[in-house]
Amino acid sequence: MLHMHIRFDGLRGDGGFRTVASRCLRAFGFLLFPRGCAGCDMPDQLLCPSCLSGLSDVVARPMPRTAMAFCFASALYRGSTRAAILAWKDHGDLELGRVFGASMALLARRVVIPALRRRTDVKTMRIAVVPVPSSRHSLRHRGRLHTLDLAGAVVRQLRSSGLDASLVNGLDIRGNAGKSVQVAGSRGRANRINGLVHVRSRLRLQAYSSVILVDDIITTASTLRECMRALSDEGLCTLTALLIASTAGHE
Ligand SMILES: [Zn+2]
C-alpha cells in the first residue's frame, strides 16, 4: 500500500507564491532561451554526459546503528554535482528530479538489493522507504518535499526486484531546525536538529519491519542520526540511508 501524505504548510503564503512565480518565469524563460546543463551550462542539456557521469559512483560512509553499517551516496558533493543539486533543490529546476531519481534507483540496485538478497528473512521483510523531512521553513520556501521524488524512485526499483517496499512519508521536523545546510553551517545544524524529528503516525510505520532513509545530501549525518533516533524510539530498524551526494571529510 502506498502511503503519501504531503503537508505543504503555508503554500499560500509569500514563500509559496514566490516559488510558483519563479517557476512560471523559469518556464517562460525556457521558451525564449533553451536551457543549459544544470552542472556546467552546456547548451540544450538537462545534465550533460560529463556531469551525469559524476552521479554514478558509490560513496560509502560508515553509519553506526544501521543494519548495513554504511550509508551510500551517488557522488561527492562538489563541482557540477553541487550546482545541479542546488538548482533542483532550491532554484526550481524540477526537471532534474528524474535524473536524481534515476541515480538513487541505480544506487539501490547496486548496493541495497544485493545486500537484502543475502538475508534469510528477505521474503518476509516489509520495507518503508522514508524521505528525510524538511523543516517547515524549507517546505514553505520550496513548496514541496523534494526528497519524496527520490524515495519514490527507490521504491519503484525495490519493487521491480520483487521486494516488498512502500513509500512512507512518516517523519516530521517540528520547531526551528535552521534554513538549510549552507545557512546554518554543519556544527550549528548538528545542534539545532537534536530532538526535533518526530514520527508523524505510529500506525503507518508499525506495518513495516525495516526502514531505508532517503535524503539529498549528507554532511555531518546529524539529520540522519536524528531520524534514526525517532524511528528507533518506535522500535524500527534502519537498514541504511541513500543520498544523492556526500560531502568529504566528515567521517
Ligand atoms: Zn554539464
Side-chain angles (χ1 to χ4, degrees):
M1 186 174 171
L2 197 65
H3 296 268
M4 291 182 68
H5 179 195
I6 316 168
R7 217 174 46 198
F8 291 135
D9 297 314
L11 188 60
R12 293 177 186 175
D14 286 342
F17 176 77
R18 276 199 303 272
T19 304
V20 171
S22 75
R23 280 180 199 159
C24 290
L25 287 171
R26 186 177 183 90
F28 180 66
F30 179 72
L31 295 176
L32 298 175
F33 310 104
R35 64 163 302 144
C37 168
C40 70
D41 226 19
M42 181 183 282
D44 301 329
Q45 304 274 344
L46 179 59
L47 207 59
C48 75
S50 170
C51 292
L52 195 57
S53 69
L55 286 169
S56 55
D57 282 345
V58 175
V59 181
R61 277 180 57 163
M63 186 55 65
R65 296 196 291 279
T66 60
M68 291 178 67
F70 286 87
C71 65
F72 302 94
S74 297
L76 285 174
Y77 187 61
R78 62 185 179 186
S80 62
T81 297
R82 180 178 180 277
I85 289 173
L86 291 176
W88 167 70
K89 179 178 172 178
D90 288 328
H91 301 290
D93 196 343
L94 302 186
E95 285 181 285
L96 290 165
R98 60 187 164 88
V99 174
F100 293 130
S103 73
M104 301 300 277
L106 179 62
L107 202 53
R109 196 160 72 234
R110 283 174 161 178
V111 298
V112 176
I113 292 167
L116 293 181
R117 284 192 172 139
R118 286 195 291 271
R119 290 173 60 127
T120 53
D121 61 347
V122 64
K123 287 202 167 72
T124 58
M125 285 180 81
R126 296 201 67 204
I127 302 164
V129 179
V130 177
V132 168
S134 296
S135 67
R136 291 188 174 192
H137 178 279
S138 297
L139 280 176
R140 267 199 301 276
H141 176 71
R142 297 185 187 119
R144 71 197 204 278
L145 178 59
H146 62 298
T147 50
L148 264 179
D149 287 349
L150 307 178
V154 171
V155 167
R156 287 190 291 278
Q157 183 62 60
L158 296 178
R159 285 185 174 177
S160 73
S161 302
L163 295 163
D164 183 353
S166 299
L167 174 58
V168 185
N169 186 16
L171 295 175
D172 209 3
I173 295 179
R174 298 175 196 162
N176 181 13
K179 292 178 182 177
S180 74
V181 67
Q182 286 78 26
V183 172
S186 57
R187 186 177 292 274
R189 185 169 174 78
N191 294 332
R192 289 182 196 204
I193 196 77
N194 285 345
L196 296 184
V197 175
H198 297 266
V199 167
R200 298 173 68 168
S201 166
R202 189 176 293 179
L203 274 178
R204 282 159 65 201
L205 276 165
Q206 269 178 350
Y208 301 92
S209 54
S210 303
V211 170
I212 295 173
L213 286 164
V214 177
D215 203 359
D216 50 5
I217 307 160
I218 177 172
T219 52
T220 62
S222 57
T223 307
L224 283 180
R225 279 197 298 272
E226 174 62 8
C227 290
M228 289 195 295
R229 193 270 314 150
L231 292 165
S232 173
D233 286 351
E234 300 298 331
L236 280 156
C237 163
T238 301
L239 287 171
T240 187
L242 299 178
L243 303 308
I244 301 173
S246 166
T247 55
H250 281 282
E251 285 84 353

